[in-house]
Amino acid sequence: MNVFHIVGARPNFMKVAPVMRALKTRQHVVQTLVHTGQHYDANMSDVFFEQLDIPAPDVNLAVGSGTHAWQTAEIMTRFEPVLLERKPDLVLVYGDVNSTVATALVCAKLGVRVGHVEAGLRSFDRTMPEEINRLMTDQLADLLFTPSEDGDINLQREGIPAEKIFRVGNVMIDSLRKLLPAARDHNQNGLPERYALVTLHRPANVDDSSTLKRILQSLLEVSQDLAVVFPAHPRTRKRIADFGLHAEQLRLLDPLPYVEFLGMQSRATVVITDSGGIQEESTYLGIPCLTLRENTERPITVSMGTNVLVGRDPGKLRLELSRVLAGQAKKGSIPPLWDGHAGERIAAVVAE
Ligand code: UD1
């Protein structure tokens, strides 16, 4: 049985690693790793392969950056001949990035079966490019692997038959659990005892100059009470420079490798973010998370975990931060099946 895995952007790497590892033990499964090249900087891609022990890609489509239409189309055009030549039995796609929907669409048109890892998540906000990617990919997939019950409910509401849905748990947490000991051992020279760890890269937060300016202003206010450590996505860095904004009081860093970031996250006083994966990781770690978004496709991190949606309201951020600093942060628990074995459960379904 020939199984393809598609990765392209940073959050995919943490998701593919445990599934590939689990499938390695199945003798009859031959795995092929395809990297679309959506992310290409060493610190957005290569370093994750090393730390997560992912084999080098068998195929690299090297698409690079562009508009949504251009990038999606380019991935499709470059992926189609690979699929026609190698004829896999199943293609596993991960998460909600452009690489995910582009390759799922090519497979569906050529009659190749698709499995979607991290299916069923919905923010119900179609201004988010990822929401479009999630909706489309789930309609095209033959096997839908969900991380939590809300995923199953969303899929069934959209008419996906129950027999296609497999609640397997959260693959990101598989990677987290594997590397947490190394992350905790990692020496964090020069970091203060208490700090807010910030990440920011959603187009809705960083692509508009007045919105980004307001968020940076709120973070500067935070930094009066608590050091702010801010590993910045290349997109965000570029916008700060393009808009001529200032963020000198924030400790702006380059994007960090997985182990270093996880270590920093596990010791943070609070995490302030607009990332999806970080909402989940902080819930697992029990670290308070203030999310700079009006909605989340991961509602379980709010209902069960440590996540609070503060939107773009500086007052709400201030209020929630003061709760954290007063030792009154929300306490959470770890959702079911976020146990480090999601990859094995996916492998069991795939191998059948
Ligand atoms: C993508 C995903 C997003 C995910 C994020 C994680 C989509 C629609 N978005 O957003 O869901 O949360 O990855 O990082 O797929 N760039 C570099 N170097 C790189 C990659 C990107 O400098 O290696 C810069 C380029 O200027 C590029 C911009 O970042 O235009 C945006 O990259 P892109 O892949 O289009 O989207 P992300 O914002 O990274």
Side-chain angles (χ1 to χ4, degrees), residues 9-11 38-41 44 65-66 68 71 96-98 129-130 133 201-202 233-235 238:
R10 185 169 58 178
Q38 179 175 344
H39 285 173
Y40 41 84
D41 287 347
M44 296 291 284
S65 302
H68 283 270
Q71 188 177 58
D96 56 14
V97 299
N98 287 347
E130 293 81 2
N133 296 346
H201 74 281
R202 293 273 153 227
H233 187 288
R235 175 186 201 112
K238 191 163 173 300

Side-chain angles (χ1 to χ4, degrees), residues 82-331:
V82 177
L83 196 68
L84 285 169
E85 190 198 320
R86 300 200 181 206
K87 297 187 178 61
D89 301 292
L90 176 71
V91 174
L92 290 177
V93 299
Y94 295 82
D96 56 14
V97 299
N98 287 347
S99 301
T100 310
V101 70
T103 50
L105 189 50
V106 174
C107 293
K109 291 285 181 80
L110 291 174
V112 177
R113 285 167 68 76
V114 175
H116 184 204
V117 176
E118 206 181 78
L121 300 186
R122 296 290 180 270
S123 64
F124 303 101
D125 173 2
R126 290 201 187 189
T127 65
M128 257 185 112
E130 293 81 2
E131 183 74 354
I132 309 289
N133 296 346
R134 293 180 201 114
L135 283 159
M136 299 295 297
T137 305
D138 285 340
Q139 282 299 323
L140 299 170
D142 300 283
L143 303 172
L144 297 102
F145 300 106
T146 59
S148 47
E149 193 187 5
D150 52 289
D152 301 37
I153 295 168
N154 291 333
L155 293 174
Q156 291 193 31
R157 194 187 324 100
E158 290 167 18
I160 310 281
E163 57 274 18
K164 286 185 173 181
I165 304 170
F166 300 88
R167 195 185 317 155
V168 292
N170 192 325
V171 281
M172 264 214 155
I173 302 303
D174 290 13
S175 286
L176 183 155
R177 284 174 55 113
K178 184 156 190 290
L179 286 170
L180 189 56
R184 287 206 159 117
D185 282 351
H186 198 268
N187 187 349
Q188 307 218 303
N189 287 331
L191 266 193
E193 182 78 5
R194 288 167 65 75
Y195 54 90
L197 178 62
V198 172
T199 80
L200 196 65
H201 74 281
R202 293 273 153 227
N205 280 338
V206 305
D207 284 0
D208 173 69
S209 66
S210 58
T211 306
L212 181 57
K213 194 173 177 184
R214 251 184 293 122
I215 293 176
L216 291 179
Q217 190 55 44
S218 301
L219 294 174
L220 286 172
E221 279 178 31
V222 170
S223 73
Q224 288 166 7
D225 296 318
L226 192 63
V228 171
V229 183
F230 184 179
H233 187 288
R235 175 186 201 112
T236 310
R237 260 270 185 203
K238 191 163 173 300
R239 295 288 184 259
I240 293 175
D242 290 350
F243 299 150
L245 302 175
H246 297 284
E248 287 84 15
Q249 281 106 312
L250 313 177
R251 295 179 184 221
L252 232 58
L253 310 175
D254 285 333
L256 290 171
Y258 183 69
V259 170
E260 283 78 345
F261 186 82
L262 187 56
M264 247 185 216
Q265 196 178 178
S266 69
R267 292 190 197 89
T269 307
V270 61
V271 173
I272 302 175
T273 190
D274 61 6
S275 149
I278 294 169
Q279 295 171 47
E280 298 180 335
E281 290 169 350
S282 54
T283 272
Y284 183 88
L285 295 167
I287 303 288
C289 177
L290 307 181
T291 296
L292 300 170
R293 288 175 47 188
E294 307 292 343
N295 51 52
T296 177
E297 62 288 340
R298 291 156 162 97
I300 200 162
T301 60
V302 177
S303 60
M304 285 193 75
T306 55
N307 192 13
V308 178
L309 300 180
V310 296
R312 279 178 224 113
D313 175 354
K316 188 120 199 260
L317 177 63
R318 228 176 287 126
L319 175 73
E320 292 300 334
L321 183 71
S322 66
R323 286 202 175 122
V324 172
L325 294 177
Q328 286 160 1
K330 185 177 165 196
K331 302 270 178 290

